[in-house]
Amino acid sequence: MKMKLATVALGALMAAGPALADLTFPSLSYRTGPYAAGGIPFADGYADYFTLLNERDGGIGGVKANVLECETGYNTEKGVECYESTKGQGALVYQPLSTGITYQLIPKATADGIAIHSMGYGRTSAKNGNVFSHVFNYPANYWDGASGAVNYLLESNGGDIKGKKIALVYHNSAYGKEPIRTLEELSKKHGFELSTLPVDHPGQEQKSQWLQIRRDKPDFVLMWGWGVMNQVAVQEAANIRFPMENFIGIWWSGSENDVLPAGDAANGYKALTFHNVGTDFPLFDDLQKYVIDAGKAAGAGDQVGTVLYNRGLYAAMLAAEAAKKAQEISGKADITAADMRDGMEALEMTEAKMAELGLPNFGPAFSVSCSNHGGDALVGVTQWDAASKTWSLISDFKPTDSEVIGALIEEDSNAYATENNISPRCN
């Protein structure tokens, strides 16, 4: 625990200098590299929320928050270097922002006793807290995304998609391959025909994939893309006149960056989500007053309210709420990484709490427990309106197929436990 300032003189000296930052939240950002357009708004939203808490509330439980940003360029090796160089600086929780970095950090962070929050990405089976003690992926994971897309299609087609063709266009990486097994299981259950089309990094060349889609005429296309791959896919879909309302991306394929380049042709495109869109929430008024207008924004202030800015802000909000829970459980304001892990495992996000934070219905209500590090697996759907250049939430946050996903998580996490000699930790 850090020494408390005891004298008025020292207190005055500190007031004159930079504020003491006790609660450290590393930000493994990527403001450079091929995916910078996605990394910048997330990093801005993450930093700005903590700045708001510092400026408006004096921090979290009276202790200032410190966002320790380290540039990864979305490169796994650099991400691991960032982790190693920052973990000794009081790091409470890591948001790796990359499935590749997450996989590398799981054993390291667990051994070091530091929590990872891979929100909506990373190793899906880390939802099983019985095996993964320090990894959390609430409120939803990639397999929830796959099921959420299928459930939405079921709902939109009278509960029956038997005989329908669904094509998956995916980033040819660990990230892009995540939903395949789940979709295969769901295709058996619901009788749809699944085809998979990999796209190599960075994704600028997709002619052959979309020629195949034009030839095969799938009823629906799902996409697990990132960066330039998304906007190229949306444009290629428009080129072959694929109906946009039948094209659904995962949440990393549903930002303004992905649809604006195609102009009016992107109208009607859909994307899954685990948080709300836009700025029509009371908290954004405070953000404007205490952060943007005060000249304390992490970026130029031009990303506020965009999908990925909101995602960064949401990640920071969940981290701050877990820190508050950790303070409550431990009985001290100056929490450790071990306390933070306990706070994350006891986190409960209710509608009332989100409203109190100025973010009513910003995300799904969920709770975390020892065995469930992934929350309640509720997924929504957004749709792009090209005329107004806005995303709208067109579906509530709804349940996913826990029967199919639960079995897959059990199988994968148990295999990991066997490989790594991990004993079940929850009673």
Side-chain angles (χ1 to χ4, degrees):
M1 186 180 282
K2 291 183 172 63
M3 290 178 64
K4 301 298 178 192
L5 302 180
T7 69
V8 174
L10 187 52
L13 181 67
M14 288 304 295
L20 182 66
D22 280 350
L23 302 180
T24 298
F25 298 89
S27 173
L28 301 193
S29 61
Y30 45 99
R31 296 180 180 276
T32 64
Y35 302 104
I40 290 167
F42 188 102
D44 285 355
Y46 194 70
D48 286 354
Y49 187 81
F50 286 115
T51 300
L52 172 63
L53 297 186
N54 286 342
E55 297 299 316
R56 186 192 64 190
D57 307 338
I60 301 169
V63 187
K64 287 289 180 82
N66 172 35
V67 175
L68 192 60
E69 195 164 322
C70 186
E71 176 64 39
T72 71
Y74 200 75
N75 175 281
T76 298
E77 193 178 322
K78 284 185 183 174
V80 173
E81 286 172 9
C82 276
Y83 171 80
E84 294 295 349
S85 67
T86 57
K87 69 179 184 181
Q89 300 183 52
L92 292 177
V93 57
Y94 279 88
Q95 313 258 354
L97 284 186
S98 148
T99 292
I101 296 173
T102 302
Y103 269 72
Q104 290 299 311
L105 292 189
I106 286 172
K108 291 175 179 290
T110 302
D112 293 332
I114 305 173
I116 288 173
H117 184 199
S118 51
M119 182 179 77
Y121 60 92
R123 187 176 189 122
T124 296
S125 65
K127 177 170 182 169
N128 185 358
N130 208 21
V131 173
F132 296 92
S133 58
H134 285 72
V135 191
F136 299 81
N137 54 12
Y138 51 73
N141 58 56
Y142 285 141
W143 298 351
D144 297 325
S147 172
V150 170
N151 280 358
Y152 177 76
L153 294 177
L154 282 164
E155 193 178 290
S156 310
N157 290 272
D160 184 10
I161 52 174
K162 190 173 184 181
K164 298 284 188 185
K165 292 181 180 178
I166 299 178
L168 171 70
V169 177
Y170 69 94
H171 193 278
N172 196 9
S173 63
Y175 150 60
K177 294 171 185 173
E178 274 282 327
I180 295 175
R181 179 80 194 284
T182 309
L183 289 171
E184 286 172 346
E185 292 299 315
L186 291 170
S187 73
K188 291 177 199 169
K189 181 172 182 174
H190 298 293
F192 62 84
E193 187 183 318
L194 177 71
S195 59
T196 57
L197 301 162
V199 175
D200 289 334
H201 164 85
Q204 283 164 312
E205 183 46 61
Q206 297 181 41
K207 292 288 182 197
S208 63
Q209 289 88 346
W210 289 94
L211 281 172
Q212 187 171 332
I213 287 171
R214 187 169 71 177
R215 186 174 64 245
D216 295 348
K217 294 184 172 57
D219 298 285
F220 310 101
V221 174
L222 305 182
M223 175 161 67
W224 254 249
W226 189 222
V228 72
M229 172 185 162
N230 294 332
Q231 54 185 261
V232 171
V234 170
Q235 186 60 62
E236 291 289 355
N239 291 348
I240 67 163
R241 292 184 171 79
F242 187 82
M244 281 296 161
E245 64 274 13
N246 293 340
F247 190 8
I248 307 174
I250 186 62
W251 35 76
W252 300 111
S253 301
S255 77
E256 291 78 3
N257 302 327
D258 308 323
V259 284
L260 283 170
D264 291 344
N267 189 56
Y269 173 74
K270 294 170 182 171
L272 302 159
T273 189
F274 50 79
H275 61 80
N276 219 316
V277 294
T279 59
D280 193 17
F281 303 90
L283 181 121
F284 282 88
D285 294 334
D286 284 354
L287 203 61
Q288 191 69 38
K289 176 182 175 181
Y290 292 96
V291 182
I292 314 300
D293 292 346
K296 296 179 184 293
D302 59 338
Q303 298 293 323
V304 177
T306 62
V307 169
L308 294 170
Y309 181 95
N310 281 14
R311 190 161 302 158
L313 182 140
Y314 183 55
M317 180 266 274
L318 294 179
E321 291 307 302
K324 289 179 194 173
K325 193 69 181 175
Q327 290 173 331
E328 180 190 316
I329 294 169
S330 66
K332 59 182 188 283
D334 197 5
I335 57 171
T336 63
D339 297 326
M340 182 68 182
R341 193 218 71 85
D342 293 347
M344 292 175 74
E345 195 166 85
L347 183 64
E348 185 176 6
M349 294 304 300
T350 62
E351 293 287 356
K353 182 182 285 187
M354 284 185 285
E356 189 184 318
L357 292 169
L359 291 167
N361 193 40
F362 195 76
F366 69 90
S367 59
V368 190
S369 67
C370 181
S371 59
N372 177 7
H373 281 193
D376 295 2
L378 304 176
V379 173
V381 180
T382 59
Q383 187 167 32
W384 177 248
D385 183 308
S388 62
K389 294 184 172 60
T390 55
W391 288 96
S392 296
L393 189 66
I394 61 167
S395 162
D396 292 337
F397 301 110
K398 295 182 178 179
T400 50
D401 194 328
S402 57
E403 184 187 354
V404 167
I405 296 168
L408 292 173
I409 284 173
E410 198 70 19
E411 179 188 337
D412 190 75
S413 57
N414 286 345
Y416 183 89
T418 301
E419 284 168 28
N420 295 278
N421 298 313
I422 296 170
S423 301
R425 52 179 287 272
C426 305
N427 295 324

